[in-house]
Amino acid sequence: MDIYDQQLDLQRNLISVTRKIIDSIRDGLEFEEIFGSVARGVRELIRYSHLYLSIVDHHKRNLKVLFSNGREPNLLSATTTIPLSRESAAHTPFLEQYPMIVNDVSAKSETERIFREFFSKGIHSAVVIPLITKDHLLGNLILGHESTHFYSGRELEILQPIADQLAVAVERAILFSNERQQQERLRLINQTGKILLSSLDLSTILTKIGTFVQKRFSYYHLSIWLLNGTRDKLTLTAHSGGYTSALPLGYQLPLTLGIVGHVTRTRNPYYSPHIQQEENYIPLERVDLHSELCVPILFRDEILGVINLESNCVDAFSHDDMTLMQTIADQLAAAIINTRLFQQVSDFNKKLQEEIGQKTRELEHAKTLLMQRKVTLEAENEKLKKLLAQNGDETDFIGNSPKVKNLLALIERVAPSDATILIEGESGTGKELVARLVHGRSLRSAQPFVAINCGTLNPQLLESELFGHERGAFSGADKTKDGLVETARGGTLFLDEITELEPSIQSKLSRFIQDREYHRVGGKEVRVADVRIVCATNKSLHDEAKLGKFREDLYYRLNTITIDLPPLRDRKEDIPLLTQYFFERYRGGKTFSLSRDLIDALEHYNWPGNVREFEGLIQRLCILCDPGEIGVDYVPKHVLGQNGKANGTPLVPSGQTIREVERMLIAETLKASNGRKETAAKALGISLKTLYNKIHRYQIET
């Protein structure tokens, strides 16, 4: 999830919790119900072990704290009354009117009773948010946790708008319990809340609120003014009552003029029982006004606008009217903020959809190009496979040592049959070359020789590559594809690094070897392919099977004939012939002779990378050396012994694995090739793709 999605989810959660609190006001809930609604909403946003709601009594002498266990956020477990004092943490926000975080409750529990109460409940850190309306402290919303230093400033940002709405709910509950005669007014505030929830269009909300309040309470005229974008003028956004025709909607008034401008500047309610005596009063033609009540629409510290009541009677408004209008203004502030957030989210979504549409079109175009390229590459691949099959017998296994002669004799003996062959040998000993020799000397030599490295693909792709897939078998399978068993039909399928197969593929391969039957991925049709299977591994397949890392049934089916390739260190008598062969192959028209030191180095080094490492060194020398005698100047240090002389033991640390040696060989060859990967791949006797895979696998810097 990116940062825009996170912000969007946070805003949606805030809006959801705010609506729950407004619902509690609308439905006329008592303190317990209001608190339960808040507790459930806050738990969706912030972790806590305890949640408290404190209420200041009428005379500000006592603090009533309602406790709730965080594991049962809808139940009140106890009520505690605490005398207020200046050192109390609950009193600090009252004096300063700002929220606070207490990182270590135990440090204050000895001197302050409220913290002793917290500490007795197992709380070690707390967040205290004052519940304020009209600069008037009603109480506190307090979150507690069992760990010290648990909360940061982020919780304040999340809790403040919830506390703002909770303050409205608490004020309503206090008024409801203390002033029963105001039940009708508060019931109508609920109706106002319903209007606020009826739409997310600000103009619609303001028009409905203005008309409803003006008509229900028989006010002469009600108007709602909001600050413009530059915040230097007030814009008439909604009005209802006696003189709506005198001022059009959209009319703008500078902040320096009128009572609405005065309230906006001071951010305090203002009541004038004799408006015509006010210096800030701006008379309107043919409009006879005598009293005016104006309250600010505030969200936290931001002034959003004002609600203005006017009457054609002297002293027409009471303190209750001011309280009611300020309550509606507080609700309206939340609605304004919510609609703004909704508009921001809508604008963001619209922009995001446009960007997604553009990216989708770009991806569709790229997909079309890739599919065209894929068709071209598949055609070229088929041509190359046929070419490789035709030329597979042109390369022979270089050497005349007894081990090589025995190997070639075994190949001649087993090649004509269709038996499955397992080739085992260290990396670089020529396992794929032997597989090609078997194919070239078999009755299938005129048919394709298809090779795949089982360790380079994930299981799903490997299964699809081997057996093919039907259209729609998985995401991206937009057409039916033949597998390699079909591509190699009538010929030989060479599976390199067979020990890297996942168990699920081993099972399917075992059944295929037994019956030569298979299913394409996503297909139900039983298909048959006539191919010869030749496998290779640089591990002991017998040991892997005994350790449970390889299926025994598949091992026995592959082990019909096993060809063991000798490492180069066991047939060093072939080094002169290999030297001649590779110098002839890579000399590029240059004429070379070998110094005695170089010959000693080649013959005494143990060649852990085998023929592949040997070939890479010869190519390196052909590239770097000038015509003439070649010394050991460009021979890697690990091939040489002390003082640059040939050493019978390779300079490889004890216990070094073949993978480590291979990594070192690739790094040295890349360095000798000045980072040119194509040159390095040729020197190592591997494909460019294989080189990239090994660079990524060994995390070699290039």
Side-chain angles (χ1 to χ4, degrees):
M1 181 179 290
D2 57 24
I3 188 170
Y4 297 106
D5 290 333
Q6 294 174 358
Q7 293 176 349
L8 179 59
D9 287 343
L10 178 59
Q11 297 302 334
R12 284 175 173 168
N13 285 338
L14 288 174
I15 291 173
S16 175
V17 173
T18 302
R19 286 186 173 181
K20 291 178 182 177
I21 296 173
I22 293 177
D23 285 343
S24 71
I25 300 172
R26 179 194 64 197
D27 296 332
L29 303 178
E30 299 291 341
F31 277 122
E32 291 83 359
E33 297 175 65
I34 294 172
F35 185 65
S37 176
V38 173
R40 288 188 295 271
V42 171
R43 181 163 291 281
E44 296 176 13
L45 303 173
I46 301 175
R47 292 172 57 193
Y48 64 84
S49 58
H50 292 76
L51 184 68
Y52 301 86
L53 174 64
S54 69
I55 305 298
V56 180
D57 73 348
H58 182 68
H59 301 289
K60 306 293 191 302
R61 295 176 182 175
N62 292 312
L63 191 68
K64 181 181 288 185
V65 182
L66 307 179
F67 293 83
S68 174
N69 190 301
R71 298 174 182 83
E72 297 178 335
N74 59 329
L75 298 177
L76 295 174
S77 58
T79 301
T80 302
T81 300
I82 301 174
L84 286 175
S85 60
R86 286 189 171 271
E87 69 273 11
S88 171
H91 202 265
T92 301
F94 170 58
L95 295 175
E96 305 296 338
Q97 296 188 0
Y98 67 87
M100 68 179 294
I101 294 178
V102 180
N103 289 319
D104 188 357
V105 172
S106 64
K108 297 191 177 187
S109 62
E110 296 180 1
T111 59
E112 302 174 21
R113 179 178 172 184
I114 191 167
F115 286 116
R116 288 198 294 276
E117 293 291 339
F118 292 170
F119 194 72
S120 69
K121 298 295 181 180
I123 294 176
H124 290 82
S125 58
V127 179
V128 183
I129 307 290
L131 306 180
I132 300 172
T133 60
K134 307 183 299 297
D135 296 328
H136 175 70
L137 179 70
L138 302 174
N140 294 278
L141 177 64
I142 306 168
L143 270 72
H145 199 272
E146 298 164 347
S147 302
T148 59
H149 295 85
F150 184 78
Y151 295 111
S152 64
R154 177 177 175 272
E155 290 81 10
L156 299 180
E157 297 178 3
I158 296 175
L159 288 172
Q160 189 62 59
I162 298 175
D164 292 341
Q165 296 306 308
L166 181 58
V168 176
V170 170
E171 183 176 58
R172 180 199 177 282
I174 293 174
L175 291 173
F176 185 83
S177 62
N178 296 336
E179 303 291 340
R180 292 290 181 180
Q181 66 271 26
Q182 296 185 13
Q183 289 182 6
E184 177 62 18
R185 289 177 177 269
L186 295 177
R187 188 185 68 80
L188 293 172
I189 291 176
N190 292 336
Q191 186 63 34
T192 303
K194 292 180 180 180
I195 295 175
L196 294 176
L197 294 172
S198 65
S199 175
L200 285 171
D201 179 71
L202 183 58
S203 177
T204 301
I205 290 175
L206 296 180
T207 300
K208 287 183 178 181
I209 288 290
T211 302
F212 169 75
V213 174
Q214 185 271 327
K215 291 183 177 179
R216 186 65 186 82
F217 293 103
S218 300
Y219 294 138
Y220 177 71
H221 190 268
L222 181 147
S223 57
I224 300 175
W225 302 72
L226 297 183
L227 277 171
N228 65 354
T230 55
R231 303 183 66 82
D232 59 351
K233 293 181 181 179
L234 286 165
T235 301
L236 179 60
T237 309
H239 60 170
S240 179
Y243 66 92
T244 54
S245 59
L247 287 178
L249 291 177
Y251 178 82
Q252 291 193 327
L253 184 70
L255 297 185
T256 56
L257 300 179
I259 291 178
V260 293
H262 172 75
V263 171
T264 303
R265 296 194 307 273
T266 61
R267 303 186 181 188
N268 292 316
Y270 188 87
Y271 174 49
S272 176
H274 302 280
I275 191 173
Q276 294 184 3
Q277 300 175 8
E278 293 286 340
E279 61 179 357
N280 291 320
Y281 173 61
I282 301 176
L284 297 174
E285 293 183 6
R286 297 185 300 278
V287 177
D288 186 22
L289 300 175
H290 291 281
S291 57
E292 184 171 353
L293 171 64
C294 187
V295 296
I297 303 173
L298 289 168
F299 183 78
R300 299 169 72 173
D301 292 331
E302 181 184 2
I303 179 73
L304 305 176
V306 297
I307 299 177
N308 193 49
L309 294 177
E310 295 165 307
S311 177
N312 53 2
C313 299
V314 174
D315 199 12
F317 305 109
S318 66
H319 178 75
D320 289 340
D321 291 314
M322 180 178 290
T323 301
L324 176 64
M325 286 301 102
Q326 190 61 70
T327 302
I328 293 175
D330 291 341
Q331 290 181 303
L332 193 57
I336 292 171
I337 294 299
N338 287 344
T339 55
R340 288 181 178 178
L341 291 175
F342 177 77
Q343 187 60 47
Q344 291 174 5
V345 171
S346 298
D347 292 343
F348 173 78
N349 283 340
K350 183 178 179 181
K351 182 178 179 181
L352 184 62
Q353 289 298 325
E354 291 175 353
E355 293 180 356
I356 290 174
Q358 178 63 28
K359 294 298 182 183
T360 300
R361 289 189 292 272
E362 292 176 0
L363 288 173
E364 289 293 339
H365 178 66
K367 180 181 178 182
T368 300
L369 295 178
L370 286 174
M371 293 305 299
Q372 294 173 352
R373 180 60 176 163
K374 180 182 177 182
V375 172
T376 302
L377 290 175
E378 287 178 347
E380 293 176 354
N381 191 33
E382 290 299 323
K383 293 179 181 179
L384 288 173
K385 288 177 180 178
K386 292 179 180 179
L387 182 62
L388 287 173
Q390 296 170 358
N391 298 333
D393 198 34
E394 293 181 0
T395 303
D396 210 341
F397 201 94
I398 306 301
N400 55 13
S401 63
K403 290 183 180 293
V404 171
K405 290 179 179 179
N406 292 337
L407 171 64
L408 295 176
L410 179 59
I411 292 173
E412 293 291 343
R413 183 182 295 259
V414 302
S417 73
D418 276 342
T420 301
I421 293 178
L422 173 63
I423 304 172
E424 292 186 347
E426 297 177 5
S427 294
T429 52
K431 294 185 288 296
E432 183 171 350
L433 175 58
V434 170
R436 290 184 180 277
L437 289 175
V438 169
H439 173 74
R441 287 160 173 73
S442 71
L443 301 178
R444 299 172 178 266
S445 60
Q447 302 303 320
F449 174 89
V450 178
I452 182 172
N453 189 315
C454 299
T456 59
L457 298 174
N458 65 46
Q460 184 181 24
L461 291 179
L462 181 58
E463 182 180 357
S464 171
E465 194 71 16
L466 282 175
F467 302 118
H469 62 254
E470 299 291 347
R471 179 180 179 183
F474 50 83
S475 177
D478 53 358
K479 68 175 184 178
T480 299
K481 175 187 175 182
D482 291 340
L484 295 183
V485 294
E486 295 175 82
T487 303
R489 187 184 302 275
T492 301
L493 178 62
F494 174 59
L495 304 176
D496 198 6
E497 296 189 30
I498 190 69
T499 54
E500 301 299 321
L501 284 177
E502 294 290 333
S504 60
I505 307 298
Q506 292 182 27
S507 174
K508 294 178 181 180
L509 181 60
S510 179
R511 290 195 298 270
F512 174 72
I513 293 175
Q514 180 179 1
D515 303 322
R516 292 301 191 268
E517 294 181 349
Y518 66 97
H519 295 85
R520 288 176 176 166
V521 176
K524 297 181 179 180
E525 179 185 355
V526 177
R527 309 178 73 86
V528 178
D530 174 27
V531 295
R532 181 181 193 176
I533 301 296
V534 178
C535 301
T537 177
N538 57 10
K539 302 177 182 178
S540 170
L541 204 58
H542 176 269
D543 293 344
E544 293 291 300
K546 289 301 181 183
L547 292 173
K549 297 180 180 179
F550 198 83
R551 293 178 63 99
E552 287 195 15
D553 61 334
L554 179 56
Y555 165 67
Y556 293 129
R557 290 193 173 102
L558 295 177
N559 195 36
T560 304
I561 296 175
T562 300
I563 298 178
D564 291 314
L565 300 191
L568 184 55
R569 61 180 173 273
D570 290 346
R571 58 182 189 99
K572 287 188 176 181
E573 57 265 50
D574 290 328
I575 286 180
L577 190 58
L578 287 168
T579 303
Q580 178 182 354
Y581 174 80
F582 287 125
F583 265 110
E584 185 63 29
R585 182 174 180 179
Y586 294 116
R587 65 187 181 87
K590 298 180 183 178
T591 301
F592 296 112
S593 61
L594 278 60
S595 67
R596 184 69 258 171
D597 288 343
L598 176 58
I599 293 173
D600 289 342
L602 297 179
E603 291 180 347
H604 288 83
Y605 182 54
N606 275 346
W607 300 107
N610 294 294
V611 178
R612 182 182 297 144
E613 181 184 8
F614 184 87
E615 180 182 4
L617 175 60
I618 300 302
Q619 185 177 12
R620 170 190 176 118
L621 295 176
C622 290
I623 294 172
L624 299 178
C625 295
D626 295 326
E629 185 178 70
I630 301 178
V632 295
D633 294 341
Y634 292 104
V635 176
K637 293 180 180 179
H638 64 271
V639 178
L640 303 175
Q642 297 295 328
N643 301 319
K645 299 296 183 180
N647 191 351
T649 303
L651 198 59
V652 178
S654 175
Q656 193 170 28
T657 65
I658 292 177
R659 290 171 60 89
E660 292 169 341
V661 173
E662 186 176 39
R663 184 186 188 283
M664 177 178 64
L665 175 63
I666 293 172
E668 287 287 340
T669 306
L670 283 169
K671 182 177 179 181
S673 304
N674 294 322
R676 293 191 293 272
K677 296 181 179 59
E678 290 185 358
T679 302
K682 291 180 180 178
L684 293 168
I686 58 178
S687 68
L688 185 60
K689 178 181 177 181
T690 301
L691 177 61
Y692 273 107
N693 289 338
K694 291 182 182 295
I695 290 173
H696 176 72
R697 182 187 306 168
Y698 296 140
Q699 298 181 350
I700 300 173
E701 295 184 1
T702 59

